[in-house]
Amino acid sequence: MNPDEVIVSEIEKAFPEAIEEVSEFRGERTLYIRKADLKSVCQFLRDQQSLQYNFLTDICADDMLPEFPRFAVNYQLYSIPRNHRIRLRVRVEDPEDGPETVGSIWAIGTWLEMEVWDLMGVRFKGNTSLRRLFLPEDWQGFPLRKDYPLGYEEVQFSFNFDEINAKKPHATKD
Amino acid sequence: MTLSAGGDAIQELTLEELRNKVGTGMEIEDAEEHMLLSMGPQHPSTHGVLRLLVELDGETVVNLAPDIGFLHTGIEKNMEAKTFTKALVMTDRMDYLSPMSNNLGYILAVEKLLGVEATPRAQAIRVILTEMQRVASHLVWLGTSALDLAAMSVFLYCFREREYILDVFEMVAGHRMMVSYFRPGGLWRDVPEEFETAVRQFLDFMPAKIADYEALLKNNPIFLGRAKGVGVISAEDAISWGLTGGSLRGSGVNYDVRKANPYSGYEQYDFDVPLETDGDVYARYRVRMEEMRQSLRIIEQALNKLPDGPIQIDNRKIVPPPRAELGRSMEAVIHHFKLWTEGFNAPEGFVYQAIESPRGEFGVYLRGNGGSKPARVHFRAPSYVNLAALPKLSKNLFVADVVAIIGSIDIVLGEIDR
Amino acid sequence: MGVEQKLGNLGVVTYRLEDLVNWGRTNAMWPILFGLACCAIEMMGSQAASYDASRFGMELNRPSPRQSDLMIVAGRVTRKMAPVVRRLYDQMPEPKWVIAMGDCASCGGVFNNYAIVQGVDEIIPVDVYVGGCPPRPEALLDGIMSLHEKIRNEKLGDWA
C-alpha cells in the first residue's frame, strides 16, 4: 500500500467522519478534512507511530470566491522520517469561525496562523496572538481577499503629468 | 512604562502589551525593573527593516517580539493581477539575495501546474545557476553576519567574490541581481559561449577563497566566543518550530529538499548534506560554509555533463516562438501575440512545490483557475518561518547575542514580509 | 606647480567661502546606514571592495541619523515604513540631502499596489533620483556625483 493510501485508511480508522473528500492533482494528494476534526486529526498524524507527520511546512488560506464555502485553509504536512508530504484542506464558510489552532501541536503553527489572519482574515479558534503583523495597526480589511482592491495608482505619462501631479502629495523640507 | 520608537504607525506599547505580542508560549516572569528596548526598524545589524521589541532584565533578554511588515510589498496580491510569466519578476524581488532560487521555485510550480517539464539542458543550467546563487547568498550572509560580530574584512572579501558571480549572472541574463532568467518551459535564452570558461574559473579560485574566510574566523577568539554555545536549539524543537535550511541542519536533522524530494535533476548529482549537532550559532556557521563547498561540487558535476539540446520545450502554447520564425510563419506571429498579450491558460487545480533555497525550504502554493493569471500564489518563505524561533533562541541571553543569532538564522526581510 | 608657488611668501590664499564650504560638504558626506530592500544590497556592493565608495569621502556609514547628512533611500517604502523614514529624515541635521535609489523609491517601480508608497518624494524631498531595479553600483556612484555637482553649485545665501 502506498503512503497516500496508508494515511487515508489510518485516518478513516480513527476518525470515520473526518475525511470529506480526497483529491489528487499532479501526483499530490489532498485530504479535505471536516473543520471540527482538524485539530484531532493533526494530533493523530503527528503522534501515530506509523505516520509521524512531525513537520508543519506551511499554512495558507485561499479565497475561492465566488465558490461556496468561500475560504479554504491548507496545511502542508511533511514527515521527515518517512519522507512523505500530504496536504490537509479545510473548507471555511465564515472566516470569523475558522479551524482550531494547531499551535499546541507544532510550535510554528501560531506564527503561520498569524500571517493567515493578517492577510486573509481567517480567525483560528484558540490562537490568542492574532494581530496585525504585516500591515499597520490601523489597517482596514484583508488584502489577499478577492474583494479587496489591489490599490492601483494611475501612472504618470507626459500627457497626464500635470493632472496627476496636482493630486500627488509633495514633501517639503520641514 | 511606554515605548515610542517611530512615527504614527508605530504604536506605543506597554510591557503587558509586549507580552501579549510575543504570545508564543513563553512563560512570563514578573518584574518591576524590566526595561523595554526597541531595536530597529533602522538598525545596522538587523539585516533589513526588522524591528525587535525586547524586554530586558539588566542586559538579559526576558522577552522578545519581532515586529515585521516594514517591507510588506503585497507581492502575493500583486501576482494575482499579472499573467503567469509576468508575475515572475515579482519573485526576484522577494528574497533579493537569491532571485535565482525564487525564480526556480515559482517556475517549477508553474510547470507542475501545467504538467510540463523543462528540457535536460535547461534543468542542468538551472542547477548550475541556483547553486552559484546559493554561494552568492551565503557570501552575503557570511559577510554581514561577520560584520555584526565586528569582523570587517570578511565582508570586503565576500563581496569581492560575490561580484564575480553577479558578473556571470549578467553574462547569462543581462542583469546582475533581478535575473528573471528561468521561464515556464525552460530558459529565456541559451547561455553564451564564455559561460563554461567563466564558471570553470569560478570553480578554480573559489575553494581557496572559502578556506581564506575560514582562516579569518576559525581561530578568531572574538568570533568563537560570540558564536559557540549561543542560541542553542535542539533537534526536536527545531522541527517543531519549522526551521529549515542551515538552521535545521545545524541541529543535526538531516532534511534537505534536494535529497528528500529531488527536483530539476538533483538526483543525478553526488553531494553531501552537511550536518552539525550542536545547534548553536557556530554549528549553523559551519553548516553553511560546508554547503558552499558542496555547491561547488554540484556545479562541477553539472557542468561536466551539461547536455546539448534545446533550452525550451517546443510547446508553442507555453513557450514563445523564436524571433526568427516571426518573419516566416503566420502561426508563430499568432502564438507570439497570444503569449505576450494574454499569456497561457493553466488548468484548474492547486500544487505545492518546494525547493531548497539558500535559507531553507522555499515552497510555492499555486492555484490556477483555468485562466491566464494565478488565482492564488502563496510562498512558504523560509526566513519568515525561521524568524519565529528567534524569541526562543535568544531567551536569557544578552542583547549582543541576539545580533549574533539574527545573523545565524540568515533572514531576509524582503522574503519575510513579501 | 604646487600650491607653494601660488601662495608666494604671504602664506595667505583668498578664495570664496562658498566654494570652500561646498567642497567640504561634498568630500565628507556621511550617509545614514539605512537599507530597505534589494537596492540596499547594491548599496553595500558599492561600498565594498569592487566599487569602493570611499573614493568619494563616504566610506563611513553612520548608524545614527544625527551624525549623517545624506540619506540613500535604497528600496521600496511601504505604508508602514513611511512614518519611520520621515522621522529619520527629520532627525538628520541640516544641511541634508536625499538620494532616491532605484525605481521603487523613485516612483513605486513594479509594485503599484496597496502597500507601497508610489515614490519616496511623497514623504521626503528628494535631490537625486537614480533609476534601475536595482541600479548598478556604478549608477549609484553616478547619482552621488550628480549630487556633488548639485552641492558645488549651491549658494550659501539659499541656506540663510
Side-chain angles (χ1 to χ4, degrees), chain B residues 98-297:
Chain B
S98 55
M100 287 278 186
S101 310
N102 297 351
N103 286 175
L104 183 64
Y106 173 69
I107 287 301
L108 285 176
V110 173
E111 287 176 354
K112 199 177 199 178
L113 188 66
L114 294 170
V116 298
E117 195 171 310
T119 56
R121 185 176 170 81
Q123 290 196 355
I125 293 173
R126 283 176 181 182
V127 167
I128 295 174
L129 290 171
T130 22
E131 289 305 319
M132 287 184 84
Q133 183 75 75
R134 189 184 312 277
V135 176
S137 169
H138 281 3
L139 285 175
V140 178
W141 156 77
L142 180 66
T144 50
S145 53
L147 193 64
D148 291 348
L149 301 179
M152 177 86 191
S153 34
V154 183
F155 169 78
L156 294 172
Y157 290 141
C158 287
F159 267 71
R160 185 185 60 191
E161 269 72 75
R162 183 173 176 270
E163 287 295 331
Y164 187 90
I165 299 174
L166 294 189
D167 286 347
V168 175
F169 287 176
E170 194 175 3
M171 184 199 283
V172 297
H175 201 301
R176 286 156 54 86
M177 281 173 76
M178 305 308 168
V179 282
S180 296
Y181 180 59
F182 308 150
R183 300 287 163 88
L187 307 169
W188 168 46
R189 61 175 184 191
D190 206 345
V191 290
E193 266 174 48
E194 309 82 23
F195 176 72
E196 191 174 335
T197 335
V199 178
R200 290 234 185 262
Q201 211 177 333
F202 169 72
L203 290 172
D204 280 344
F205 73 71
M206 201 57 203
K209 303 285 185 194
I210 298 176
D212 277 356
Y213 312 141
E214 275 199 325
L216 280 168
L217 294 172
K218 198 166 57 182
N219 299 319
N220 184 335
I222 301 175
F223 177 75
L224 293 182
R226 293 192 62 181
K228 272 194 174 167
V230 171
V232 182
I233 188 161
S234 68
E236 201 176 300
D237 281 343
I239 292 173
S240 180
W241 281 97
L243 293 184
T244 43
S247 312
L248 180 69
R249 293 190 285 272
S251 297
V253 183
N254 189 352
Y255 170 52
D256 187 318
V257 186
R258 291 174 294 174
K259 286 274 189 203
N261 311 95
Y263 53 91
S264 283
Y266 266 104
E267 64 277 1
Q268 310 161 32
Y269 309 116
D270 175 33
F271 64 100
D272 301 326
V273 178
L275 286 179
E276 292 283 333
T277 47
D278 295 343
D280 57 359
V281 172
Y282 189 62
R284 297 192 270 277
Y285 154 81
R286 290 268 301 267
V287 166
R288 296 213 175 87
M289 293 304 274
E290 188 55 35
E291 263 182 25
M292 282 202 252
R293 296 209 179 86
Q294 297 300 331
S295 290
L296 297 184
R297 268 177 80 188

Side-chain angles (χ1 to χ4, degrees), chain A residues 17-156:
Chain A
E17 306 265 288
I19 299 183
E20 292 175 339
E21 189 188 329
V22 179
S23 79
E24 190 162 336
F25 181 68
R26 306 282 183 226
E28 288 180 8
R29 188 64 71 98
T30 308
L31 308 182
Y32 287 77
I33 305 286
R34 207 170 58 174
K35 197 177 75 189
D37 290 324
L38 178 85
K39 193 174 176 185
S40 32
V41 168
C42 284
Q43 187 82 46
F44 174 75
L45 288 177
R46 192 197 68 171
D47 293 339
Q48 185 74 359
Q49 262 312 308
S50 57
L51 299 170
Q52 293 185 57
Y53 285 87
N54 55 354
F55 197 87
L56 173 63
T57 314
D58 195 19
I59 299 178
C60 124
D62 206 336
D63 185 355
M64 308 292 286
L65 197 77
E67 278 172 40
F68 190 82
R70 183 175 158 188
F71 294 94
V73 183
N74 292 307
Y75 295 78
Q76 301 282 349
L77 304 186
Y78 178 66
S79 163
I80 294 181
R82 291 173 60 246
N83 186 17
H84 186 251
R85 283 176 198 280
I86 193 83
R87 175 168 39 230
L88 308 183
R89 198 170 165 93
V90 180
R91 294 194 178 102
V92 179
E93 285 167 31
D94 175 13
E96 283 300 313
D97 178 30
E100 262 183 280
T101 176
V102 293
S104 57
I105 305 171
W106 299 279
I108 190 64
T110 315
W111 185 244
L112 292 171
E113 284 162 5
M114 279 158 78
E115 183 196 340
V116 174
W117 156 251
D118 188 23
L119 297 178
M120 192 66 95
V122 176
R123 191 178 283 282
F124 291 86
K125 218 178 291 168
N127 188 339
T128 51
S129 325
L130 299 179
R131 59 178 161 92
R132 281 295 177 194
L133 190 68
F134 294 108
L135 297 163
E137 207 78 358
D138 53 355
W139 198 271
Q140 298 288 314
F142 303 98
L144 280 182
R145 288 193 184 172
K146 295 281 179 219
D147 51 5
Y148 191 93
L150 180 62
Y152 175 86
E153 262 182 48
E154 219 181 330
V155 182
Q156 270 179 323

